[in-house]
Amino acid sequence: MSKFKDKIDKELSNIKATNKASDIIAKVESKNNVIPFKRAVAMVAALVLVFTIIFIPAKNNKNSFIIIANAESSADSATPDSKEITGDILNTENFVEIESDEPNYIYYNFNYVLDENAESTDLVKKYLFHSFNKHLNISVDGENIETITYKINKGSLSSYTMTCNNPTQKIIHVKNTSAQMQTEMSIDYEVQDITSFKFNPVTSQDDFHCNLAQFMVTDTGEITRETSNTSIIGYGHKDDNTLATEEEIETLRQYIKNDDMVGFYNYQNQIFKRLIDSITLDITITKTNGKKETQTLEFLYTPDVLKELPKYNDAIEKQQTLSTGTLSAKIKT
């Protein structure tokens, strides 16, 4: 191989790159030229190949849209129609934190009692969690995008959209799924800046927001489905399915029995991590010309470590779980 390269280099040294290919071939065809015609053509081809490799750029196979965490859009006062989206662009190399001031909002499962001796208004000790909502602060940016479709591999999605000209709140209800199914929802590209997303890793095959009956707990501890002027301290369901394993449920009960609620919240947070880290989200854009492109996000949950219990001001505040953490995501390759 090295001898062949040396010969090629020697022959190419007789050809100046500034000469045109036609000039080189013309010189080769002359009788006074000592280089055989076929060899010269081969060298010209080699030279052209070298220049082709150097000057023709590789094709760009990247997606034409980007996914942004913690996105904020602002309109220029001089040009109201122009918007600039700022935030952290998600990538394939590392996880990007998705900031959110909202805690993990817990729904309780009234079919699973953890501590029979707990007060009826102490929902944390009384009942196992049914599921929980986690805020999803992401946005898409690109050109000629008509719609965005979100598909989760486990659990459910929900969105909250407030129209600019109408204070009426429009909530899109999405069907829950098990791990063998997928849930998806689509929104118009133009309304994503006024749309808030949440996901819930519940595995029930019932309708989470529609058909699955939602119960409320009053400040007296009563579980009811009737709305009234009575103060509501929590929400939940009566479901035979559970996201926690039997071993995890018994461990939570043991923390309560030992009156170690710091350990309880930290252990429950590890259950949340197990559930969230197995979730992926497909984001598909449909362009105005009908073409579609998809990128898949992989979630990572980093639990906060609780060291002491805070002081509560009221019963409602007490129901907000102290099992909190940071949600991050990256593009799955």
Side-chain angles (χ1 to χ4, degrees), residues 78 80 109 115 124 140 143 157 165 183 228 239 285 312-313 332:
N109 195 329
D115 183 4
V124 174
V140 168
E143 295 182 355
L157 294 168
N165 299 325
T183 297
S228 64
D239 195 337
I285 62 165
Y312 300 107
N313 295 322
K332 190 175 181 181

Side-chain angles (χ1 to χ4, degrees), residues 178-229:
S178 65
Q180 289 73 37
M181 302 171 63
Q182 291 190 337
T183 297
E184 64 180 275
M185 62 181 300
S186 297
I187 65 166
D188 292 336
Y189 177 70
E190 298 300 329
V191 302
Q192 65 173 332
D193 59 336
I194 56 173
T195 301
S196 175
F197 296 97
K198 292 181 180 179
F199 73 90
N200 192 315
V202 67
T203 56
S204 170
Q205 296 189 37
D206 295 326
D207 284 352
F208 179 66
H209 292 288
C210 299
N211 295 335
L212 184 59
Q214 179 168 281
F215 294 83
M216 297 166 286
V217 182
T218 68
D219 56 3
T220 63
E222 179 188 5
I223 299 176
T224 179
R225 293 192 64 188
E226 300 296 329
T227 58
S228 64
N229 295 326

Side-chain angles (χ1 to χ4, degrees), residues 53-75:
I53 295 173
I54 294 174
F55 294 111
I56 296 180
K59 292 182 179 180
N60 186 0
N61 293 322
K62 292 184 178 179
N63 293 86
S64 65
F65 71 99
I66 60 175
I67 304 171
I68 306 172
N70 320 311
E72 293 183 1
S73 61
S74 59

